[in-house]
Amino acid sequence: MLTVVCAVVIAALNYFIPFFNGFRNFSWCALVYFFLLTALAGYIGILSLNKSAHGFVASVNGIVMIKLLFSAGFVIAYALIAKPGRPDFVISFFLLYVVYTVFLVREFIIAQKKYLQQKKNDG
């Protein structure tokens, strides 16, 4: 659902604001990148729910750090391959990074609360 909302926002920005139209292809690639990366990170995070609370937090922090490193690599690779004239493309990428990171951390917190509640009810 988040990706659909982001896609609508990207399409609207590309259509109504000429500034974003200059790097629209990169914005769409970044959206797909974050969708896939967040799905993978979410899967790994859900697998770490059975760890202790400290282990889960360490896993989430590790996932966010790895996501940051992969994202930096994605931006550097794009800059080296596409050689954009200006660094404006980073704006849409950074906005998507923040949105998807907040979403991921929020979902991890909700999942951990549900897991702990279920564990408490079962035990």
PDB file of all heavy atoms in Angstrom, residues 2-3 6 26-41 67-68 70-72 74-75 92-101 103-104:
ATOM      1  N   LEU A   2       1.948   1.217   0.775  1.00  0.00           N
ATOM      2  CA  LEU A   2       2.859   2.364   0.830  1.00  0.00           C
ATOM      3  C   LEU A   2       3.456   2.654  -0.550  1.00  0.00           C
ATOM      4  O   LEU A   2       3.546   3.812  -0.963  1.00  0.00           O
ATOM      5  CB  LEU A   2       3.983   2.108   1.842  1.00  0.00           C
ATOM      6  CG  LEU A   2       5.074   3.171   1.918  1.00  0.00           C
ATOM      7  CD1 LEU A   2       4.504   4.491   2.405  1.00  0.00           C
ATOM      8  CD2 LEU A   2       6.209   2.703   2.792  1.00  0.00           C
ATOM      9  N   THR A   3       3.804   1.611  -1.258  1.00  0.00           N
ATOM     10  CA  THR A   3       4.406   1.789  -2.582  1.00  0.00           C
ATOM     11  C   THR A   3       3.408   2.391  -3.564  1.00  0.00           C
ATOM     12  O   THR A   3       3.781   3.224  -4.397  1.00  0.00           O
ATOM     13  CB  THR A   3       4.945   0.438  -3.101  1.00  0.00           C
ATOM     14  OG1 THR A   3       5.901  -0.048  -2.150  1.00  0.00           O
ATOM     15  CG2 THR A   3       5.620   0.589  -4.441  1.00  0.00           C
ATOM     16  N   CYS A   6       3.233   6.052  -2.731  1.00  0.00           N
ATOM     17  CA  CYS A   6       4.454   6.707  -3.215  1.00  0.00           C
ATOM     18  C   CYS A   6       4.451   6.834  -4.735  1.00  0.00           C
ATOM     19  O   CYS A   6       4.899   7.849  -5.280  1.00  0.00           O
ATOM     20  CB  CYS A   6       5.686   5.938  -2.746  1.00  0.00           C
ATOM     21  SG  CYS A   6       6.048   6.145  -0.990  1.00  0.00           S
ATOM     22  N   PHE A  26      14.940   7.906 -12.584  1.00  0.00           N
ATOM     23  CA  PHE A  26      15.645   7.545 -11.360  1.00  0.00           C
ATOM     24  C   PHE A  26      14.664   7.392 -10.204  1.00  0.00           C
ATOM     25  O   PHE A  26      14.809   6.480  -9.381  1.00  0.00           O
ATOM     26  CB  PHE A  26      16.716   8.581 -11.014  1.00  0.00           C
ATOM     27  CG  PHE A  26      17.418   8.275  -9.726  1.00  0.00           C
ATOM     28  CD1 PHE A  26      18.375   7.280  -9.680  1.00  0.00           C
ATOM     29  CD2 PHE A  26      17.112   8.969  -8.571  1.00  0.00           C
ATOM     30  CE1 PHE A  26      19.021   6.980  -8.493  1.00  0.00           C
ATOM     31  CE2 PHE A  26      17.751   8.674  -7.384  1.00  0.00           C
ATOM     32  CZ  PHE A  26      18.714   7.674  -7.338  1.00  0.00           C
ATOM     33  N   SER A  27      13.665   8.255 -10.121  1.00  0.00           N
ATOM     34  CA  SER A  27      12.673   8.161  -9.042  1.00  0.00           C
ATOM     35  C   SER A  27      11.921   6.843  -9.104  1.00  0.00           C
ATOM     36  O   SER A  27      11.674   6.210  -8.073  1.00  0.00           O
ATOM     37  CB  SER A  27      11.685   9.327  -9.125  1.00  0.00           C
ATOM     38  OG  SER A  27      12.346  10.553  -8.940  1.00  0.00           O
ATOM     39  N   TRP A  28      11.559   6.407 -10.311  1.00  0.00           N
ATOM     40  CA  TRP A  28      10.851   5.127 -10.450  1.00  0.00           C
ATOM     41  C   TRP A  28      11.770   3.960 -10.092  1.00  0.00           C
ATOM     42  O   TRP A  28      11.333   3.005  -9.432  1.00  0.00           O
ATOM     43  CB  TRP A  28      10.284   4.971 -11.852  1.00  0.00           C
ATOM     44  CG  TRP A  28       9.156   5.911 -12.110  1.00  0.00           C
ATOM     45  CD1 TRP A  28       9.147   6.966 -12.967  1.00  0.00           C
ATOM     46  CD2 TRP A  28       7.860   5.918 -11.484  1.00  0.00           C
ATOM     47  NE1 TRP A  28       7.940   7.617 -12.912  1.00  0.00           N
ATOM     48  CE2 TRP A  28       7.132   6.997 -12.014  1.00  0.00           C
ATOM     49  CE3 TRP A  28       7.255   5.119 -10.524  1.00  0.00           C
ATOM     50  CZ2 TRP A  28       5.835   7.294 -11.622  1.00  0.00           C
ATOM     51  CZ3 TRP A  28       5.952   5.409 -10.124  1.00  0.00           C
ATOM     52  CH2 TRP A  28       5.266   6.486 -10.680  1.00  0.00           C
ATOM     53  N   CYS A  29      13.001   4.028 -10.501  1.00  0.00           N
ATOM     54  CA  CYS A  29      13.959   2.973 -10.135  1.00  0.00           C
ATOM     55  C   CYS A  29      14.169   2.936  -8.629  1.00  0.00           C
ATOM     56  O   CYS A  29      14.247   1.855  -8.033  1.00  0.00           O
ATOM     57  CB  CYS A  29      15.301   3.204 -10.826  1.00  0.00           C
ATOM     58  SG  CYS A  29      15.265   2.907 -12.596  1.00  0.00           S
ATOM     59  N   ALA A  30      14.258   4.105  -8.021  1.00  0.00           N
ATOM     60  CA  ALA A  30      14.431   4.171  -6.572  1.00  0.00           C
ATOM     61  C   ALA A  30      13.211   3.598  -5.855  1.00  0.00           C
ATOM     62  O   ALA A  30      13.355   2.915  -4.827  1.00  0.00           O
ATOM     63  CB  ALA A  30      14.670   5.619  -6.136  1.00  0.00           C
ATOM     64  N   LEU A  31      12.024   3.838  -6.376  1.00  0.00           N
ATOM     65  CA  LEU A  31      10.813   3.288  -5.759  1.00  0.00           C
ATOM     66  C   LEU A  31      10.834   1.762  -5.794  1.00  0.00           C
ATOM     67  O   LEU A  31      10.567   1.108  -4.777  1.00  0.00           O
ATOM     68  CB  LEU A  31       9.566   3.822  -6.461  1.00  0.00           C
ATOM     69  CG  LEU A  31       8.229   3.348  -5.889  1.00  0.00           C
ATOM     70  CD1 LEU A  31       8.036   3.861  -4.473  1.00  0.00           C
ATOM     71  CD2 LEU A  31       7.089   3.798  -6.784  1.00  0.00           C
ATOM     72  N   VAL A  32      11.175   1.203  -6.924  1.00  0.00           N
ATOM     73  CA  VAL A  32      11.268  -0.266  -7.032  1.00  0.00           C
ATOM     74  C   VAL A  32      12.367  -0.792  -6.108  1.00  0.00           C
ATOM     75  O   VAL A  32      12.182  -1.794  -5.406  1.00  0.00           O
ATOM     76  CB  VAL A  32      11.528  -0.686  -8.501  1.00  0.00           C
ATOM     77  CG1 VAL A  32      11.851  -2.163  -8.602  1.00  0.00           C
ATOM     78  CG2 VAL A  32      10.334  -0.330  -9.363  1.00  0.00           C
ATOM     79  N   TYR A  33      13.493  -0.114  -6.076  1.00  0.00           N
ATOM     80  CA  TYR A  33      14.600  -0.495  -5.202  1.00  0.00           C
ATOM     81  C   TYR A  33      14.152  -0.536  -3.742  1.00  0.00           C
ATOM     82  O   TYR A  33      14.413  -1.515  -3.035  1.00  0.00           O
ATOM     83  CB  TYR A  33      15.758   0.493  -5.398  1.00  0.00           C
ATOM     84  CG  TYR A  33      16.833   0.390  -4.362  1.00  0.00           C
ATOM     85  CD1 TYR A  33      17.796  -0.600  -4.424  1.00  0.00           C
ATOM     86  CD2 TYR A  33      16.898   1.305  -3.308  1.00  0.00           C
ATOM     87  CE1 TYR A  33      18.789  -0.699  -3.467  1.00  0.00           C
ATOM     88  CE2 TYR A  33      17.883   1.215  -2.353  1.00  0.00           C
ATOM     89  CZ  TYR A  33      18.816   0.212  -2.427  1.00  0.00           C
ATOM     90  OH  TYR A  33      19.799   0.122  -1.474  1.00  0.00           O
ATOM     91  N   PHE A  34      13.496   0.508  -3.294  1.00  0.00           N
ATOM     92  CA  PHE A  34      13.077   0.546  -1.892  1.00  0.00           C
ATOM     93  C   PHE A  34      11.985  -0.466  -1.581  1.00  0.00           C
ATOM     94  O   PHE A  34      11.944  -1.016  -0.486  1.00  0.00           O
ATOM     95  CB  PHE A  34      12.640   1.956  -1.482  1.00  0.00           C
ATOM     96  CG  PHE A  34      13.804   2.843  -1.178  1.00  0.00           C
ATOM     97  CD1 PHE A  34      14.041   3.964  -1.936  1.00  0.00           C
ATOM     98  CD2 PHE A  34      14.671   2.545  -0.161  1.00  0.00           C
ATOM     99  CE1 PHE A  34      15.117   4.782  -1.689  1.00  0.00           C
ATOM    100  CE2 PHE A  34      15.769   3.343   0.115  1.00  0.00           C
ATOM    101  CZ  PHE A  34      15.985   4.469  -0.643  1.00  0.00           C
ATOM    102  N   PHE A  35      11.109  -0.718  -2.537  1.00  0.00           N
ATOM    103  CA  PHE A  35      10.096  -1.751  -2.335  1.00  0.00           C
ATOM    104  C   PHE A  35      10.757  -3.106  -2.103  1.00  0.00           C
ATOM    105  O   PHE A  35      10.452  -3.812  -1.144  1.00  0.00           O
ATOM    106  CB  PHE A  35       9.135  -1.811  -3.527  1.00  0.00           C
ATOM    107  CG  PHE A  35       8.189  -2.970  -3.455  1.00  0.00           C
ATOM    108  CD1 PHE A  35       7.115  -2.944  -2.589  1.00  0.00           C
ATOM    109  CD2 PHE A  35       8.392  -4.096  -4.239  1.00  0.00           C
ATOM    110  CE1 PHE A  35       6.239  -4.020  -2.508  1.00  0.00           C
ATOM    111  CE2 PHE A  35       7.529  -5.173  -4.175  1.00  0.00           C
ATOM    112  CZ  PHE A  35       6.456  -5.140  -3.297  1.00  0.00           C
ATOM    113  N   LEU A  36      11.683  -3.461  -2.980  1.00  0.00           N
ATOM    114  CA  LEU A  36      12.354  -4.759  -2.864  1.00  0.00           C
ATOM    115  C   LEU A  36      13.235  -4.837  -1.620  1.00  0.00           C
ATOM    116  O   LEU A  36      13.214  -5.844  -0.898  1.00  0.00           O
ATOM    117  CB  LEU A  36      13.182  -5.030  -4.121  1.00  0.00           C
ATOM    118  CG  LEU A  36      12.389  -5.186  -5.414  1.00  0.00           C
ATOM    119  CD1 LEU A  36      13.332  -5.304  -6.613  1.00  0.00           C
ATOM    120  CD2 LEU A  36      11.455  -6.384  -5.332  1.00  0.00           C
ATOM    121  N   LEU A  37      13.989  -3.786  -1.350  1.00  0.00           N
ATOM    122  CA  LEU A  37      14.869  -3.778  -0.190  1.00  0.00           C
ATOM    123  C   LEU A  37      14.074  -3.835   1.109  1.00  0.00           C
ATOM    124  O   LEU A  37      14.446  -4.549   2.046  1.00  0.00           O
ATOM    125  CB  LEU A  37      15.775  -2.546  -0.214  1.00  0.00           C
ATOM    126  CG  LEU A  37      16.862  -2.484   0.854  1.00  0.00           C
ATOM    127  CD1 LEU A  37      17.835  -3.653   0.687  1.00  0.00           C
ATOM    128  CD2 LEU A  37      17.609  -1.167   0.758  1.00  0.00           C
ATOM    129  N   THR A  38      12.971  -3.128   1.175  1.00  0.00           N
ATOM    130  CA  THR A  38      12.148  -3.132   2.381  1.00  0.00           C
ATOM    131  C   THR A  38      11.462  -4.482   2.574  1.00  0.00           C
ATOM    132  O   THR A  38      11.346  -4.969   3.703  1.00  0.00           O
ATOM    133  CB  THR A  38      11.101  -1.995   2.325  1.00  0.00           C
ATOM    134  OG1 THR A  38      11.806  -0.751   2.193  1.00  0.00           O
ATOM    135  CG2 THR A  38      10.258  -1.947   3.576  1.00  0.00           C
ATOM    136  N   ALA A  39      11.042  -5.111   1.492  1.00  0.00           N
ATOM    137  CA  ALA A  39      10.445  -6.443   1.598  1.00  0.00           C
ATOM    138  C   ALA A  39      11.467  -7.444   2.134  1.00  0.00           C
ATOM    139  O   ALA A  39      11.156  -8.236   3.043  1.00  0.00           O
ATOM    140  CB  ALA A  39       9.912  -6.894   0.242  1.00  0.00           C
ATOM    141  N   LEU A  40      12.679  -7.401   1.623  1.00  0.00           N
ATOM    142  CA  LEU A  40      13.731  -8.300   2.092  1.00  0.00           C
ATOM    143  C   LEU A  40      14.098  -8.008   3.548  1.00  0.00           C
ATOM    144  O   LEU A  40      14.220  -8.924   4.366  1.00  0.00           O
ATOM    145  CB  LEU A  40      14.966  -8.180   1.198  1.00  0.00           C
ATOM    146  CG  LEU A  40      16.162  -9.033   1.598  1.00  0.00           C
ATOM    147  CD1 LEU A  40      15.818 -10.520   1.493  1.00  0.00           C
ATOM    148  CD2 LEU A  40      17.363  -8.701   0.722  1.00  0.00           C
ATOM    149  N   ALA A  41      14.252  -6.743   3.882  1.00  0.00           N
ATOM    150  CA  ALA A  41      14.589  -6.354   5.252  1.00  0.00           C
ATOM    151  C   ALA A  41      13.464  -6.745   6.216  1.00  0.00           C
ATOM    152  O   ALA A  41      13.727  -7.187   7.338  1.00  0.00           O
ATOM    153  CB  ALA A  41      14.859  -4.854   5.329  1.00  0.00           C
ATOM    154  N   LYS A  67      20.824  -1.294   5.089  1.00  0.00           N
ATOM    155  CA  LYS A  67      19.988  -0.576   4.118  1.00  0.00           C
ATOM    156  C   LYS A  67      20.637   0.761   3.747  1.00  0.00           C
ATOM    157  O   LYS A  67      20.641   1.145   2.573  1.00  0.00           O
ATOM    158  CB  LYS A  67      18.597  -0.351   4.725  1.00  0.00           C
ATOM    159  CG  LYS A  67      17.630   0.329   3.807  1.00  0.00           C
ATOM    160  CD  LYS A  67      16.287   0.484   4.477  1.00  0.00           C
ATOM    161  CE  LYS A  67      15.374   1.310   3.628  1.00  0.00           C
ATOM    162  NZ  LYS A  67      14.104   1.590   4.251  1.00  0.00           N
ATOM    163  N   LEU A  68      21.206   1.442   4.725  1.00  0.00           N
ATOM    164  CA  LEU A  68      21.892   2.708   4.467  1.00  0.00           C
ATOM    165  C   LEU A  68      23.086   2.499   3.539  1.00  0.00           C
ATOM    166  O   LEU A  68      23.282   3.259   2.579  1.00  0.00           O
ATOM    167  CB  LEU A  68      22.340   3.345   5.777  1.00  0.00           C
ATOM    168  CG  LEU A  68      23.174   4.623   5.676  1.00  0.00           C
ATOM    169  CD1 LEU A  68      22.346   5.740   5.043  1.00  0.00           C
ATOM    170  CD2 LEU A  68      23.672   5.035   7.036  1.00  0.00           C
ATOM    171  N   PHE A  70      23.640  -0.043   1.387  1.00  0.00           N
ATOM    172  CA  PHE A  70      23.161  -0.401   0.051  1.00  0.00           C
ATOM    173  C   PHE A  70      22.610   0.826  -0.680  1.00  0.00           C
ATOM    174  O   PHE A  70      22.796   0.976  -1.882  1.00  0.00           O
ATOM    175  CB  PHE A  70      22.091  -1.484   0.113  1.00  0.00           C
ATOM    176  CG  PHE A  70      22.618  -2.870   0.296  1.00  0.00           C
ATOM    177  CD1 PHE A  70      21.812  -3.856   0.824  1.00  0.00           C
ATOM    178  CD2 PHE A  70      23.908  -3.215  -0.053  1.00  0.00           C
ATOM    179  CE1 PHE A  70      22.276  -5.154   0.996  1.00  0.00           C
ATOM    180  CE2 PHE A  70      24.395  -4.502   0.108  1.00  0.00           C
ATOM    181  CZ  PHE A  70      23.575  -5.475   0.632  1.00  0.00           C
ATOM    182  N   SER A  71      21.935   1.691   0.052  1.00  0.00           N
ATOM    183  CA  SER A  71      21.374   2.891  -0.557  1.00  0.00           C
ATOM    184  C   SER A  71      22.468   3.835  -1.034  1.00  0.00           C
ATOM    185  O   SER A  71      22.371   4.404  -2.123  1.00  0.00           O
ATOM    186  CB  SER A  71      20.446   3.609   0.433  1.00  0.00           C
ATOM    187  OG  SER A  71      19.348   2.786   0.741  1.00  0.00           O
ATOM    188  N   ALA A  72      23.502   3.986  -0.227  1.00  0.00           N
ATOM    189  CA  ALA A  72      24.631   4.823  -0.656  1.00  0.00           C
ATOM    190  C   ALA A  72      25.273   4.227  -1.905  1.00  0.00           C
ATOM    191  O   ALA A  72      25.621   4.950  -2.849  1.00  0.00           O
ATOM    192  CB  ALA A  72      25.654   4.947   0.471  1.00  0.00           C
ATOM    193  N   PHE A  74      23.770   2.406  -4.155  1.00  0.00           N
ATOM    194  CA  PHE A  74      22.831   2.620  -5.262  1.00  0.00           C
ATOM    195  C   PHE A  74      23.000   4.017  -5.850  1.00  0.00           C
ATOM    196  O   PHE A  74      23.073   4.182  -7.065  1.00  0.00           O
ATOM    197  CB  PHE A  74      21.400   2.408  -4.751  1.00  0.00           C
ATOM    198  CG  PHE A  74      20.352   2.486  -5.810  1.00  0.00           C
ATOM    199  CD1 PHE A  74      20.058   1.388  -6.603  1.00  0.00           C
ATOM    200  CD2 PHE A  74      19.621   3.643  -6.008  1.00  0.00           C
ATOM    201  CE1 PHE A  74      19.073   1.445  -7.586  1.00  0.00           C
ATOM    202  CE2 PHE A  74      18.638   3.725  -6.976  1.00  0.00           C
ATOM    203  CZ  PHE A  74      18.362   2.612  -7.768  1.00  0.00           C
ATOM    204  N   VAL A  75      23.089   5.018  -4.983  1.00  0.00           N
ATOM    205  CA  VAL A  75      23.239   6.407  -5.444  1.00  0.00           C
ATOM    206  C   VAL A  75      24.593   6.598  -6.137  1.00  0.00           C
ATOM    207  O   VAL A  75      24.673   7.222  -7.204  1.00  0.00           O
ATOM    208  CB  VAL A  75      23.081   7.401  -4.264  1.00  0.00           C
ATOM    209  CG1 VAL A  75      23.504   8.798  -4.662  1.00  0.00           C
ATOM    210  CG2 VAL A  75      21.653   7.404  -3.767  1.00  0.00           C
ATOM    211  N   SER A  92      14.708  13.066  -4.434  1.00  0.00           N
ATOM    212  CA  SER A  92      13.649  12.058  -4.431  1.00  0.00           C
ATOM    213  C   SER A  92      14.123  10.786  -3.747  1.00  0.00           C
ATOM    214  O   SER A  92      13.364  10.143  -3.021  1.00  0.00           O
ATOM    215  CB  SER A  92      13.184  11.751  -5.860  1.00  0.00           C
ATOM    216  OG  SER A  92      14.222  11.150  -6.612  1.00  0.00           O
ATOM    217  N   PHE A  93      15.377  10.425  -3.942  1.00  0.00           N
ATOM    218  CA  PHE A  93      15.912   9.226  -3.301  1.00  0.00           C
ATOM    219  C   PHE A  93      15.895   9.368  -1.793  1.00  0.00           C
ATOM    220  O   PHE A  93      15.478   8.461  -1.070  1.00  0.00           O
ATOM    221  CB  PHE A  93      17.338   8.957  -3.793  1.00  0.00           C
ATOM    222  CG  PHE A  93      17.883   7.643  -3.335  1.00  0.00           C
ATOM    223  CD1 PHE A  93      17.605   6.490  -4.040  1.00  0.00           C
ATOM    224  CD2 PHE A  93      18.661   7.557  -2.202  1.00  0.00           C
ATOM    225  CE1 PHE A  93      18.103   5.265  -3.623  1.00  0.00           C
ATOM    226  CE2 PHE A  93      19.162   6.350  -1.776  1.00  0.00           C
ATOM    227  CZ  PHE A  93      18.881   5.202  -2.489  1.00  0.00           C
ATOM    228  N   PHE A  94      16.351  10.512  -1.289  1.00  0.00           N
ATOM    229  CA  PHE A  94      16.395  10.735   0.156  1.00  0.00           C
ATOM    230  C   PHE A  94      14.991  10.720   0.752  1.00  0.00           C
ATOM    231  O   PHE A  94      14.780  10.145   1.824  1.00  0.00           O
ATOM    232  CB  PHE A  94      17.099  12.055   0.474  1.00  0.00           C
ATOM    233  CG  PHE A  94      17.185  12.336   1.941  1.00  0.00           C
ATOM    234  CD1 PHE A  94      18.009  11.590   2.758  1.00  0.00           C
ATOM    235  CD2 PHE A  94      16.424  13.350   2.511  1.00  0.00           C
ATOM    236  CE1 PHE A  94      18.087  11.845   4.126  1.00  0.00           C
ATOM    237  CE2 PHE A  94      16.492  13.613   3.868  1.00  0.00           C
ATOM    238  CZ  PHE A  94      17.331  12.860   4.680  1.00  0.00           C
ATOM    239  N   LEU A  95      14.044  11.335   0.071  1.00  0.00           N
ATOM    240  CA  LEU A  95      12.665  11.328   0.570  1.00  0.00           C
ATOM    241  C   LEU A  95      12.116   9.900   0.647  1.00  0.00           C
ATOM    242  O   LEU A  95      11.487   9.524   1.641  1.00  0.00           O
ATOM    243  CB  LEU A  95      11.771  12.202  -0.300  1.00  0.00           C
ATOM    244  CG  LEU A  95      12.042  13.698  -0.228  1.00  0.00           C
ATOM    245  CD1 LEU A  95      11.199  14.440  -1.267  1.00  0.00           C
ATOM    246  CD2 LEU A  95      11.778  14.232   1.159  1.00  0.00           C
ATOM    247  N   LEU A  96      12.356   9.111  -0.390  1.00  0.00           N
ATOM    248  CA  LEU A  96      11.918   7.716  -0.362  1.00  0.00           C
ATOM    249  C   LEU A  96      12.645   6.926   0.726  1.00  0.00           C
ATOM    250  O   LEU A  96      12.054   6.088   1.397  1.00  0.00           O
ATOM    251  CB  LEU A  96      12.128   7.062  -1.723  1.00  0.00           C
ATOM    252  CG  LEU A  96      11.159   7.485  -2.815  1.00  0.00           C
ATOM    253  CD1 LEU A  96      11.599   6.943  -4.166  1.00  0.00           C
ATOM    254  CD2 LEU A  96       9.747   7.034  -2.496  1.00  0.00           C
ATOM    255  N   TYR A  97      13.928   7.197   0.907  1.00  0.00           N
ATOM    256  CA  TYR A  97      14.696   6.518   1.948  1.00  0.00           C
ATOM    257  C   TYR A  97      14.079   6.776   3.322  1.00  0.00           C
ATOM    258  O   TYR A  97      13.881   5.847   4.109  1.00  0.00           O
ATOM    259  CB  TYR A  97      16.154   6.976   1.933  1.00  0.00           C
ATOM    260  CG  TYR A  97      16.966   6.357   3.041  1.00  0.00           C
ATOM    261  CD1 TYR A  97      17.490   5.085   2.902  1.00  0.00           C
ATOM    262  CD2 TYR A  97      17.179   7.038   4.235  1.00  0.00           C
ATOM    263  CE1 TYR A  97      18.214   4.503   3.925  1.00  0.00           C
ATOM    264  CE2 TYR A  97      17.891   6.461   5.261  1.00  0.00           C
ATOM    265  CZ  TYR A  97      18.416   5.192   5.106  1.00  0.00           C
ATOM    266  OH  TYR A  97      19.125   4.621   6.130  1.00  0.00           O
ATOM    267  N   VAL A  98      13.771   8.022   3.608  1.00  0.00           N
ATOM    268  CA  VAL A  98      13.192   8.369   4.898  1.00  0.00           C
ATOM    269  C   VAL A  98      11.823   7.711   5.073  1.00  0.00           C
ATOM    270  O   VAL A  98      11.540   7.108   6.115  1.00  0.00           O
ATOM    271  CB  VAL A  98      13.095   9.906   5.066  1.00  0.00           C
ATOM    272  CG1 VAL A  98      12.259  10.285   6.271  1.00  0.00           C
ATOM    273  CG2 VAL A  98      14.486  10.513   5.170  1.00  0.00           C
ATOM    274  N   VAL A  99      10.979   7.800   4.064  1.00  0.00           N
ATOM    275  CA  VAL A  99       9.629   7.220   4.152  1.00  0.00           C
ATOM    276  C   VAL A  99       9.701   5.715   4.387  1.00  0.00           C
ATOM    277  O   VAL A  99       9.040   5.183   5.285  1.00  0.00           O
ATOM    278  CB  VAL A  99       8.811   7.538   2.871  1.00  0.00           C
ATOM    279  CG1 VAL A  99       7.556   6.702   2.805  1.00  0.00           C
ATOM    280  CG2 VAL A  99       8.475   9.017   2.822  1.00  0.00           C
ATOM    281  N   TYR A 100      10.504   5.019   3.609  1.00  0.00           N
ATOM    282  CA  TYR A 100      10.580   3.562   3.744  1.00  0.00           C
ATOM    283  C   TYR A 100      11.287   3.130   5.024  1.00  0.00           C
ATOM    284  O   TYR A 100      10.954   2.096   5.601  1.00  0.00           O
ATOM    285  CB  TYR A 100      11.248   2.939   2.513  1.00  0.00           C
ATOM    286  CG  TYR A 100      10.263   2.665   1.418  1.00  0.00           C
ATOM    287  CD1 TYR A 100      10.007   3.606   0.432  1.00  0.00           C
ATOM    288  CD2 TYR A 100       9.557   1.480   1.368  1.00  0.00           C
ATOM    289  CE1 TYR A 100       9.091   3.364  -0.578  1.00  0.00           C
ATOM    290  CE2 TYR A 100       8.638   1.222   0.369  1.00  0.00           C
ATOM    291  CZ  TYR A 100       8.409   2.169  -0.598  1.00  0.00           C
ATOM    292  OH  TYR A 100       7.498   1.921  -1.580  1.00  0.00           O
ATOM    293  N   THR A 101      12.254   3.894   5.518  1.00  0.00           N
ATOM    294  CA  THR A 101      12.925   3.554   6.770  1.00  0.00           C
ATOM    295  C   THR A 101      11.983   3.748   7.951  1.00  0.00           C
ATOM    296  O   THR A 101      11.913   2.886   8.843  1.00  0.00           O
ATOM    297  CB  THR A 101      14.207   4.385   6.947  1.00  0.00           C
ATOM    298  OG1 THR A 101      15.071   4.120   5.834  1.00  0.00           O
ATOM    299  CG2 THR A 101      14.917   4.028   8.232  1.00  0.00           C
ATOM    300  N   PHE A 103       8.737   3.626   7.819  1.00  0.00           N
ATOM    301  CA  PHE A 103       7.751   2.556   7.679  1.00  0.00           C
ATOM    302  C   PHE A 103       8.301   1.231   8.209  1.00  0.00           C
ATOM    303  O   PHE A 103       7.638   0.522   8.958  1.00  0.00           O
ATOM    304  CB  PHE A 103       7.345   2.411   6.213  1.00  0.00           C
ATOM    305  CG  PHE A 103       6.488   1.213   5.941  1.00  0.00           C
ATOM    306  CD1 PHE A 103       5.139   1.232   6.271  1.00  0.00           C
ATOM    307  CD2 PHE A 103       7.024   0.078   5.361  1.00  0.00           C
ATOM    308  CE1 PHE A 103       4.342   0.122   6.028  1.00  0.00           C
ATOM    309  CE2 PHE A 103       6.235  -1.027   5.109  1.00  0.00           C
ATOM    310  CZ  PHE A 103       4.892  -1.009   5.446  1.00  0.00           C
ATOM    311  N   LEU A 104       9.530   0.904   7.836  1.00  0.00           N
ATOM    312  CA  LEU A 104      10.134  -0.359   8.242  1.00  0.00           C
ATOM    313  C   LEU A 104      10.293  -0.441   9.757  1.00  0.00           C
ATOM    314  O   LEU A 104       9.906  -1.438  10.373  1.00  0.00           O
ATOM    315  CB  LEU A 104      11.492  -0.528   7.556  1.00  0.00           C
ATOM    316  CG  LEU A 104      12.216  -1.842   7.770  1.00  0.00           C
ATOM    317  CD1 LEU A 104      11.437  -2.990   7.141  1.00  0.00           C
ATOM    318  CD2 LEU A 104      13.614  -1.776   7.177  1.00  0.00           C
TER     319      LEU A 104
END
